[in-house]
Amino acid sequence: MPRLSRRHLLITLGTAALTLATRPLHAFAGVLNKILGQAAVTSTQPITPNEEFYLTSYRSPPTIRVYDWSLSIKGLVERPMTLTYEQLIAIPTVSQIVTLECVGNTIAGEFISTAEWSGISLRTLLEEAGASATAYDVIFRAADGFSDGIRVDRAMAGDVMIVHRMNGVPLPQGHGFPARVIVPGCYGMKSVQWLTEIEVVDQDYKGYYPQKGWTDEAIVKTTSRIDVPGHGTTLRGRRHQIKGLAFAGTRGISLVDISTDGGDRWTSATLDPPLSPAAWSFWRHDWAPPSSGRYQLVVRATDGTGRLQTSIEQDPAPDGATGLHEMTVTVEI
Ligand SMILES: Nc1nc2c(c(=O)[nH]1)N[C@H]1C(S)=C(S)[C@@H](COP(=O)(O)O)O[C@H]1N2
Ligand SMILES: [Mo]
């Protein structure tokens, strides 16, 4: 991403909460999909329309008026600063297509979507503020009381963004208006919405979900999903297309295999090039079943490091679901 020069940042010098609750993980895992979010309509488009992008927040989205809002950068920085909305949007934007997935997403679940996000690189902002080289974590705090943090080296990698636009329009209220964080390759919890404060600290910080026992590292697991045909479908005729998506965050997807016999034999599917290194991959496979009958379809992906997606089934808690997506279809030739 292009670097921004100092004169591009209109900054004002200035000076610039934590809730520890314990709840059993199993109780939490069960309600995450039902209470904390609403699944969007299944969409197999490479970019999810804003109205269909999945929603997750631990309470209802705050209503923020831009003239009441500011973003402060504080802590271990040489030049603490506060940006108004006007100042933030005046900075030349960079854009990146990034897939977000909730850590609570189940195998083949709907809590995964992709958008083009526009804003500024966090690295630029931290360099501008003079973040300490010896710092450990960067904490993001939000207007709804939510917070989370990432390691300073991750924050400085250049691909972490502070965004104020989503698919070409200002961030919708339900997706973090007026500004949010985007951390490619991490579960959605790190992409703090309704952002108000960035603090650089010299110790490990545990955010809202990590405090409750969820993963702090939050690196997405490799996942894949069959979208077409649907489970239980009856397919008529000799030729059919099986298709779906796969995602492994910033590791990317190198291979998708499909099995039509419950996982005994595998064939590689055709992969579409992803829209960005941080976006999901679409795959398809032309299938000519040899005879009528019932078939067990299974998909598995290999990430960009050559690691095969595990078939071991694990619930979303505490660090993301694993297992393969399987479904039964009936063929009538
Ligand atoms: N302020 C705030 N940011 C938040 C959350 C929240 O509850 N409050 N939820 C997180 C979680 S768990 C996810 S998965 C993503 C979801 O972003 P979306 O609703 O835009 O899909 O936002 C993250 N950022
Ligand atoms: Mo989430």
Side-chain angles (χ1 to χ4, degrees), residues 32-53:
L32 192 72
N33 278 354
K34 293 186 186 73
I35 293 169
L36 300 178
Q38 306 129 35
V41 178
T42 302
S43 170
T44 45
Q45 300 165 85
I47 303 261
T48 315
N50 288 354
E51 316 74 63
E52 293 175 22
F53 202 101

PDB file of all heavy atoms in Angstrom, residues 32-53:
ATOM      1  N   LEU A  32     -23.331 -17.428  20.561  1.00  0.00           N
ATOM      2  CA  LEU A  32     -22.645 -16.422  19.753  1.00  0.00           C
ATOM      3  C   LEU A  32     -23.366 -16.150  18.432  1.00  0.00           C
ATOM      4  O   LEU A  32     -23.649 -15.016  18.090  1.00  0.00           O
ATOM      5  CB  LEU A  32     -21.198 -16.842  19.487  1.00  0.00           C
ATOM      6  CG  LEU A  32     -20.336 -15.739  18.909  1.00  0.00           C
ATOM      7  CD1 LEU A  32     -20.036 -14.674  19.955  1.00  0.00           C
ATOM      8  CD2 LEU A  32     -19.059 -16.289  18.358  1.00  0.00           C
ATOM      9  N   ASN A  33     -23.680 -17.225  17.714  1.00  0.00           N
ATOM     10  CA  ASN A  33     -24.326 -17.041  16.418  1.00  0.00           C
ATOM     11  C   ASN A  33     -25.738 -16.507  16.563  1.00  0.00           C
ATOM     12  O   ASN A  33     -26.202 -15.732  15.747  1.00  0.00           O
ATOM     13  CB  ASN A  33     -24.367 -18.367  15.647  1.00  0.00           C
ATOM     14  CG  ASN A  33     -23.050 -18.640  14.947  1.00  0.00           C
ATOM     15  OD1 ASN A  33     -22.164 -17.793  14.948  1.00  0.00           O
ATOM     16  ND2 ASN A  33     -22.927 -19.812  14.377  1.00  0.00           N
ATOM     17  N   LYS A  34     -26.430 -16.932  17.631  1.00  0.00           N
ATOM     18  CA  LYS A  34     -27.844 -16.581  17.747  1.00  0.00           C
ATOM     19  C   LYS A  34     -28.055 -15.178  18.286  1.00  0.00           C
ATOM     20  O   LYS A  34     -28.878 -14.423  17.784  1.00  0.00           O
ATOM     21  CB  LYS A  34     -28.550 -17.590  18.654  1.00  0.00           C
ATOM     22  CG  LYS A  34     -28.616 -18.974  18.052  1.00  0.00           C
ATOM     23  CD  LYS A  34     -29.445 -19.905  18.932  1.00  0.00           C
ATOM     24  CE  LYS A  34     -29.414 -21.330  18.422  1.00  0.00           C
ATOM     25  NZ  LYS A  34     -28.101 -21.972  18.667  1.00  0.00           N
ATOM     26  N   ILE A  35     -27.305 -14.817  19.340  1.00  0.00           N
ATOM     27  CA  ILE A  35     -27.588 -13.558  20.008  1.00  0.00           C
ATOM     28  C   ILE A  35     -26.691 -12.432  19.532  1.00  0.00           C
ATOM     29  O   ILE A  35     -27.149 -11.323  19.315  1.00  0.00           O
ATOM     30  CB  ILE A  35     -27.455 -13.732  21.539  1.00  0.00           C
ATOM     31  CG1 ILE A  35     -28.565 -14.669  22.017  1.00  0.00           C
ATOM     32  CG2 ILE A  35     -27.544 -12.381  22.250  1.00  0.00           C
ATOM     33  CD1 ILE A  35     -28.412 -15.123  23.427  1.00  0.00           C
ATOM     34  N   LEU A  36     -25.424 -12.730  19.329  1.00  0.00           N
ATOM     35  CA  LEU A  36     -24.492 -11.648  19.032  1.00  0.00           C
ATOM     36  C   LEU A  36     -24.469 -11.283  17.566  1.00  0.00           C
ATOM     37  O   LEU A  36     -23.845 -10.333  17.177  1.00  0.00           O
ATOM     38  CB  LEU A  36     -23.092 -12.016  19.519  1.00  0.00           C
ATOM     39  CG  LEU A  36     -23.033 -12.267  21.012  1.00  0.00           C
ATOM     40  CD1 LEU A  36     -21.648 -12.666  21.422  1.00  0.00           C
ATOM     41  CD2 LEU A  36     -23.476 -11.039  21.780  1.00  0.00           C
ATOM     42  N   GLY A  37     -25.147 -12.015  16.757  1.00  0.00           N
ATOM     43  CA  GLY A  37     -25.123 -11.654  15.346  1.00  0.00           C
ATOM     44  C   GLY A  37     -26.334 -12.191  14.631  1.00  0.00           C
ATOM     45  O   GLY A  37     -27.040 -13.043  15.139  1.00  0.00           O
ATOM     46  N   GLN A  38     -26.551 -11.654  13.456  1.00  0.00           N
ATOM     47  CA  GLN A  38     -27.612 -12.172  12.608  1.00  0.00           C
ATOM     48  C   GLN A  38     -26.960 -12.566  11.291  1.00  0.00           C
ATOM     49  O   GLN A  38     -26.242 -11.774  10.711  1.00  0.00           O
ATOM     50  CB  GLN A  38     -28.668 -11.100  12.347  1.00  0.00           C
ATOM     51  CG  GLN A  38     -29.219 -10.487  13.614  1.00  0.00           C
ATOM     52  CD  GLN A  38     -29.157  -8.969  13.557  1.00  0.00           C
ATOM     53  OE1 GLN A  38     -29.326  -8.372  12.515  1.00  0.00           O
ATOM     54  NE2 GLN A  38     -28.929  -8.356  14.688  1.00  0.00           N
ATOM     55  N   ALA A  39     -27.212 -13.767  10.865  1.00  0.00           N
ATOM     56  CA  ALA A  39     -26.595 -14.224   9.619  1.00  0.00           C
ATOM     57  C   ALA A  39     -27.231 -13.509   8.438  1.00  0.00           C
ATOM     58  O   ALA A  39     -28.419 -13.226   8.432  1.00  0.00           O
ATOM     59  CB  ALA A  39     -26.779 -15.728   9.465  1.00  0.00           C
ATOM     60  N   ALA A  40     -26.420 -13.219   7.472  1.00  0.00           N
ATOM     61  CA  ALA A  40     -26.920 -12.581   6.254  1.00  0.00           C
ATOM     62  C   ALA A  40     -27.353 -13.657   5.272  1.00  0.00           C
ATOM     63  O   ALA A  40     -27.118 -14.837   5.485  1.00  0.00           O
ATOM     64  CB  ALA A  40     -25.835 -11.713   5.645  1.00  0.00           C
ATOM     65  N   VAL A  41     -28.013 -13.250   4.229  1.00  0.00           N
ATOM     66  CA  VAL A  41     -28.406 -14.136   3.145  1.00  0.00           C
ATOM     67  C   VAL A  41     -27.143 -14.741   2.534  1.00  0.00           C
ATOM     68  O   VAL A  41     -26.150 -14.049   2.386  1.00  0.00           O
ATOM     69  CB  VAL A  41     -29.142 -13.305   2.060  1.00  0.00           C
ATOM     70  CG1 VAL A  41     -29.541 -14.173   0.880  1.00  0.00           C
ATOM     71  CG2 VAL A  41     -30.339 -12.602   2.657  1.00  0.00           C
ATOM     72  N   THR A  42     -27.173 -16.019   2.225  1.00  0.00           N
ATOM     73  CA  THR A  42     -26.013 -16.631   1.573  1.00  0.00           C
ATOM     74  C   THR A  42     -25.733 -15.918   0.267  1.00  0.00           C
ATOM     75  O   THR A  42     -26.620 -15.678  -0.532  1.00  0.00           O
ATOM     76  CB  THR A  42     -26.276 -18.117   1.261  1.00  0.00           C
ATOM     77  OG1 THR A  42     -26.581 -18.757   2.470  1.00  0.00           O
ATOM     78  CG2 THR A  42     -25.057 -18.766   0.639  1.00  0.00           C
ATOM     79  N   SER A  43     -24.503 -15.554   0.076  1.00  0.00           N
ATOM     80  CA  SER A  43     -24.132 -14.863  -1.139  1.00  0.00           C
ATOM     81  C   SER A  43     -22.864 -15.489  -1.661  1.00  0.00           C
ATOM     82  O   SER A  43     -21.913 -15.659  -0.933  1.00  0.00           O
ATOM     83  CB  SER A  43     -23.916 -13.391  -0.833  1.00  0.00           C
ATOM     84  OG  SER A  43     -23.337 -12.767  -1.943  1.00  0.00           O
ATOM     85  N   THR A  44     -22.874 -15.831  -2.924  1.00  0.00           N
ATOM     86  CA  THR A  44     -21.648 -16.376  -3.492  1.00  0.00           C
ATOM     87  C   THR A  44     -20.982 -15.347  -4.388  1.00  0.00           C
ATOM     88  O   THR A  44     -20.215 -15.680  -5.274  1.00  0.00           O
ATOM     89  CB  THR A  44     -21.934 -17.684  -4.254  1.00  0.00           C
ATOM     90  OG1 THR A  44     -23.088 -17.509  -5.052  1.00  0.00           O
ATOM     91  CG2 THR A  44     -22.150 -18.836  -3.300  1.00  0.00           C
ATOM     92  N   GLN A  45     -21.287 -14.081  -4.153  1.00  0.00           N
ATOM     93  CA  GLN A  45     -20.599 -13.038  -4.913  1.00  0.00           C
ATOM     94  C   GLN A  45     -19.237 -12.785  -4.267  1.00  0.00           C
ATOM     95  O   GLN A  45     -19.117 -12.825  -3.046  1.00  0.00           O
ATOM     96  CB  GLN A  45     -21.418 -11.743  -4.884  1.00  0.00           C
ATOM     97  CG  GLN A  45     -22.807 -11.921  -5.488  1.00  0.00           C
ATOM     98  CD  GLN A  45     -23.716 -10.774  -5.121  1.00  0.00           C
ATOM     99  OE1 GLN A  45     -23.711  -9.757  -5.773  1.00  0.00           O
ATOM    100  NE2 GLN A  45     -24.490 -10.932  -4.051  1.00  0.00           N
ATOM    101  N   PRO A  46     -18.217 -12.480  -5.099  1.00  0.00           N
ATOM    102  CA  PRO A  46     -16.872 -12.248  -4.539  1.00  0.00           C
ATOM    103  C   PRO A  46     -16.828 -11.095  -3.532  1.00  0.00           C
ATOM    104  O   PRO A  46     -16.093 -11.153  -2.568  1.00  0.00           O
ATOM    105  CB  PRO A  46     -16.023 -11.929  -5.770  1.00  0.00           C
ATOM    106  CG  PRO A  46     -16.790 -12.452  -6.936  1.00  0.00           C
ATOM    107  CD  PRO A  46     -18.236 -12.454  -6.567  1.00  0.00           C
ATOM    108  N   ILE A  47     -17.631 -10.051  -3.795  1.00  0.00           N
ATOM    109  CA  ILE A  47     -17.748  -8.940  -2.850  1.00  0.00           C
ATOM    110  C   ILE A  47     -19.170  -8.973  -2.312  1.00  0.00           C
ATOM    111  O   ILE A  47     -20.135  -9.008  -3.081  1.00  0.00           O
ATOM    112  CB  ILE A  47     -17.508  -7.566  -3.532  1.00  0.00           C
ATOM    113  CG1 ILE A  47     -16.138  -7.534  -4.209  1.00  0.00           C
ATOM    114  CG2 ILE A  47     -17.720  -6.420  -2.546  1.00  0.00           C
ATOM    115  CD1 ILE A  47     -15.028  -6.874  -3.467  1.00  0.00           C
ATOM    116  N   THR A  48     -19.308  -8.999  -1.005  1.00  0.00           N
ATOM    117  CA  THR A  48     -20.630  -9.078  -0.384  1.00  0.00           C
ATOM    118  C   THR A  48     -21.260  -7.690  -0.362  1.00  0.00           C
ATOM    119  O   THR A  48     -20.636  -6.748   0.126  1.00  0.00           O
ATOM    120  CB  THR A  48     -20.493  -9.581   1.072  1.00  0.00           C
ATOM    121  OG1 THR A  48     -19.583 -10.685   1.100  1.00  0.00           O
ATOM    122  CG2 THR A  48     -21.834  -9.999   1.642  1.00  0.00           C
ATOM    123  N   PRO A  49     -22.480  -7.526  -0.881  1.00  0.00           N
ATOM    124  CA  PRO A  49     -23.130  -6.211  -0.762  1.00  0.00           C
ATOM    125  C   PRO A  49     -23.264  -5.836   0.726  1.00  0.00           C
ATOM    126  O   PRO A  49     -23.449  -6.723   1.566  1.00  0.00           O
ATOM    127  CB  PRO A  49     -24.510  -6.435  -1.387  1.00  0.00           C
ATOM    128  CG  PRO A  49     -24.370  -7.658  -2.251  1.00  0.00           C
ATOM    129  CD  PRO A  49     -23.330  -8.507  -1.580  1.00  0.00           C
ATOM    130  N   ASN A  50     -23.166  -4.548   1.036  1.00  0.00           N
ATOM    131  CA  ASN A  50     -23.195  -4.123   2.447  1.00  0.00           C
ATOM    132  C   ASN A  50     -24.421  -4.647   3.196  1.00  0.00           C
ATOM    133  O   ASN A  50     -24.329  -5.014   4.362  1.00  0.00           O
ATOM    134  CB  ASN A  50     -23.138  -2.596   2.539  1.00  0.00           C
ATOM    135  CG  ASN A  50     -21.761  -2.065   2.183  1.00  0.00           C
ATOM    136  OD1 ASN A  50     -20.824  -2.842   1.970  1.00  0.00           O
ATOM    137  ND2 ASN A  50     -21.621  -0.755   2.114  1.00  0.00           N
ATOM    138  N   GLU A  51     -25.572  -4.696   2.506  1.00  0.00           N
ATOM    139  CA  GLU A  51     -26.815  -5.134   3.180  1.00  0.00           C
ATOM    140  C   GLU A  51     -26.767  -6.616   3.524  1.00  0.00           C
ATOM    141  O   GLU A  51     -27.568  -7.082   4.348  1.00  0.00           O
ATOM    142  CB  GLU A  51     -28.044  -4.906   2.290  1.00  0.00           C
ATOM    143  CG  GLU A  51     -28.130  -3.580   1.562  1.00  0.00           C
ATOM    144  CD  GLU A  51     -27.153  -3.491   0.390  1.00  0.00           C
ATOM    145  OE1 GLU A  51     -27.289  -4.287  -0.554  1.00  0.00           O
ATOM    146  OE2 GLU A  51     -26.239  -2.630   0.419  1.00  0.00           O
ATOM    147  N   GLU A  52     -25.888  -7.367   2.860  1.00  0.00           N
ATOM    148  CA  GLU A  52     -25.815  -8.808   3.123  1.00  0.00           C
ATOM    149  C   GLU A  52     -24.607  -9.190   3.966  1.00  0.00           C
ATOM    150  O   GLU A  52     -24.442 -10.355   4.327  1.00  0.00           O
ATOM    151  CB  GLU A  52     -25.776  -9.573   1.791  1.00  0.00           C
ATOM    152  CG  GLU A  52     -27.075  -9.450   1.018  1.00  0.00           C
ATOM    153  CD  GLU A  52     -26.999 -10.111  -0.348  1.00  0.00           C
ATOM    154  OE1 GLU A  52     -26.148 -10.997  -0.552  1.00  0.00           O
ATOM    155  OE2 GLU A  52     -27.797  -9.727  -1.218  1.00  0.00           O
ATOM    156  N   PHE A  53     -23.755  -8.221   4.269  1.00  0.00           N
ATOM    157  CA  PHE A  53     -22.543  -8.493   5.063  1.00  0.00           C
ATOM    158  C   PHE A  53     -22.973  -8.915   6.469  1.00  0.00           C
ATOM    159  O   PHE A  53     -23.829  -8.283   7.075  1.00  0.00           O
ATOM    160  CB  PHE A  53     -21.690  -7.225   5.134  1.00  0.00           C
ATOM    161  CG  PHE A  53     -20.238  -7.486   5.430  1.00  0.00           C
ATOM    162  CD1 PHE A  53     -19.295  -7.476   4.413  1.00  0.00           C
ATOM    163  CD2 PHE A  53     -19.812  -7.735   6.734  1.00  0.00           C
ATOM    164  CE1 PHE A  53     -17.944  -7.703   4.687  1.00  0.00           C
ATOM    165  CE2 PHE A  53     -18.476  -7.969   7.012  1.00  0.00           C
ATOM    166  CZ  PHE A  53     -17.531  -7.955   5.991  1.00  0.00           C
TER     167      PHE A  53
END
